[in-house]
Amino acid sequence: MTARLDPGLVVFAASVALEHEPVPAEQVVAGEPTTGHLVLDEGGPVTIGVWEMSVGAMSDVEADEVFVVLAGDATVEFTGGPGHDTGLDSIELQAGSIVRLVDGMETVWTVREPLRKVYLA
């Protein structure tokens, strides 16, 4: 079933309940991080959702997306893949940060306070 946002529907992305699952062992860098997400709209050219990560660190390979951080404190290290040649080794995330990642970018997310974002992929 395709998720679709109804016109005029309000979703409180900062507080919507998300079911968390442990990060797969091969992605865990430190701690016992978990992630949760909720797809709000998909089926068109863009998927919109809410994603959250608990305290800890994990590696990931990114999809092409833009996101806005709603809450939390984290560092994202760029470790390889497309876009790694930007000259940035890492970025700091906090509420209000807006970031674009590209498909295949290799990252390590270190979360110090639970991180919640709204993404468009």
Side-chain angles (χ1 to χ4, degrees), residues 13-91:
S15 60
V16 66
L18 303 177
E19 291 186 34
H20 276 238
E21 295 183 2
V23 169
E26 64 272 11
Q27 289 181 261
V28 173
V29 174
E32 297 178 6
T34 62
T35 61
H37 78 279
L38 175 64
V39 174
L40 299 173
D41 197 294
E42 65 182 346
V46 175
T47 298
I48 302 168
V50 180
W51 181 88
E52 185 174 67
M53 181 177 162
S54 68
V55 172
M58 66 175 274
S59 63
D60 201 12
V61 177
E62 303 302 330
D64 194 21
E65 74 172 282
V66 172
F67 65 85
V68 178
V69 175
L70 301 175
D73 180 45
T75 301
V76 178
E77 297 174 64
F78 301 113
T79 59
H84 183 246
D85 57 357
T86 63
L88 292 174
D89 292 329
S90 65
I91 56 174

